[in-house]
Amino acid sequence: MGRNNRKRRTPLATKAIAASAALALGGGGLIWANFYASAHESNNSGQNQTKAATGQVATIACPDVQQKLTNVPAKAQQGVATELANLDKQITEAYARLASTRQAQAGDANFVQNAIVGPLKEKRAATLDRIRIDIQRVGGQVDAAGLSALAACTTQTANQTTAGGQQQNGGQQQNGGQQQQNGGQQQNGGQQQGGQAGAGQNIGGQAGNGPVAADFVDITKVQPNVAAKPQANGNASKGVFITKCGVNANKNHNTDNVIVAPGVTNGAHHLHDYVGNQKVDAFANNNTLIAGQSSCQNQSDLSAYYWPVVRIQDGSQDFDQNRDGGGKEGNVGKILTPVQAQIKYVGSPTSKVTAMPNFLRIITGDAKTTTNGLANANAHWSCTGFENKVQLTTQYPICPQGSNVVRTFAFQSCWDGKNIDSANHRTHVAFADAQGNCQNGFKAIPQLTMRLVYKINPPVLQNGQVKNAYAVDGFPEQLHKSATDHDDFIAVFKNNLANKIANCINSGQKCQ
């Protein structure tokens, strides 16, 4: 498919991406001034205190194969999705070996290459060959040499995971054309290692895989970076449709991801909150989704809204401490339920919107920015009282007393008009350009926006250490960086609700 969601990058963002060992396709999106941001984390020990370890191997960086596969025949998609999930599992297992062999690494400079990265390449090569076979078996075309070249992984040291210095908020991302910068200073050596007894080789955090002090910034010390919204023209769709679906107080969780890894248990390797459709797991399909139940007040909204949980790293544990996707994969600490979860659909500043098709799938953000770079980052963190002034992507905010952490998502608002999904789950949707226009023949659709608010005691930074951190769940090798925050959506509407949402927005009304 065509390049429809690439975005321009500022020099610092380009450097951050170039430092990554893997290149990702596509673009991210920035929120408008009236949107908001926040995140979540995971922990495992008593007090989350960390010390710098910038020269140490911090994580494994592998090319993100999924982002390269833009044209997979329908008959091969399930098989390819299963193999992509196997690639994620292999990286997770390799990272676990990396984290558990720090002593051996200290005694042998070649240990990581010989015992971890080399064997990982062999496993990936076999998996990539199965992907090639799956595609070619049904008559699909694949660049076999290009695919096999994605087998090799590298390692990243602590400072390579942040690119050091002052970082910008995901570069110049497109979502109504807003350009934001993370004005906070990011400390060199973004990874730090655990300061607790017996954990001297850990890379920060309660579970030894982040976050670290450099991942946090006092929001009161960040310069305002939120620009104005694009100017609306006479054809703008100015309405708002609000759907109230709760905060997942019933604790509907799982570590699956039916969009990326259908049919694969623990395909996400981290825990999700679910609101809206209550029957979403790896084995859900369009038929089960439309027949499911919803947590939304409007029972015609059976859409699936799900995001990685946020955890507090204060030494506490939760129900999944000894489970896959939880503590066994570095996602530890007390799971926080949002105190607010606001979901709304908004219009375009330059055109009317087309109703979303049923079962449209959209993923916004990138769960693998630590190794992919910031090309698809769409994380937005802030604090109540600061949301119209400061939005962060590459750091978590430390909010002042009385202010809550806010996490915001603004989804892609342009659709190709044909496909409800794409092979890499990106190219069928795109962000609007700097003026708010859809490009390449794409159509404006209602833009899903979500605002999650968390009551969190502020982490404390002392002498390059962080105590009582919070972070978002993620793949263990991604080190719980704030930029890895992401959100998932499957549109499931009954009783003509999709058209009602579009008509409400196009007529400039406020509906629910």
Side-chain angles (χ1 to χ4, degrees), residues 451-502:
R451 177 179 182 261
L452 307 175
V453 182
Y454 296 84
K455 190 174 183 60
I456 297 175
N457 289 328
V460 176
L461 301 181
Q462 292 179 336
N463 300 320
Q465 301 176 345
V466 58
K467 179 179 178 181
N468 296 334
Y470 68 91
V472 64
D473 260 24
F475 292 94
E477 80 281 357
Q478 296 301 310
L479 306 177
H480 299 293
K481 296 297 182 184
S482 61
T484 65
D485 201 11
H486 57 284
D487 203 351
D488 302 79
F489 166 69
I490 305 174
V492 188
F493 301 116
K494 293 196 306 185
N495 302 320
N496 202 38
L497 181 58
N499 286 323
K500 292 177 181 177
I501 292 172

Side-chain angles (χ1 to χ4, degrees), residues 93-105 111 116 202:
E93 292 171 344
Y95 179 80
R97 289 194 293 275
L98 179 71
S100 64
T101 58
R102 296 299 186 189
Q103 187 171 357
Q105 296 167 39
F111 181 88
I116 299 175
N202 287 342

Side-chain angles (χ1 to χ4, degrees), residues 64-88:
D64 192 346
V65 177
Q66 176 185 286
Q67 298 306 309
K68 302 293 186 180
L69 296 176
T70 59
N71 187 18
V72 177
K75 292 181 179 180
Q77 287 176 1
Q78 181 59 61
V80 169
T82 300
E83 297 301 345
L84 290 171
N86 285 335
L87 291 175
D88 282 337

Side-chain angles (χ1 to χ4, degrees), residues 14 39 50 57 181 188 272 324 369 383 394 400 424 428 438 449 452 499:
T14 302
T50 57
V57 172
Q181 292 181 336
N188 280 326
H272 290 123
D324 288 341
T369 56
C383 303
T394 60
N424 66 356
H428 65 299
C438 293
T449 67
L452 307 175
N499 286 323

Side-chain angles (χ1 to χ4, degrees), residues 6-8 28-30 172-178 431-434:
R6 298 292 294 179
K7 61 172 178 286
R8 298 178 300 277
L30 282 185
Q172 185 176 357
Q173 300 175 329
Q174 295 176 359
N175 177 28
Q178 293 318 299
F431 290 94
D433 66 15

Side-chain angles (χ1 to χ4, degrees), residues 343-359:
I343 302 173
K344 64 182 179 180
Y345 296 86
V346 299
S348 163
T350 62
S351 71
K352 303 303 181 185
V353 297
T354 298
M356 285 183 176
N358 240 14
F359 310 120

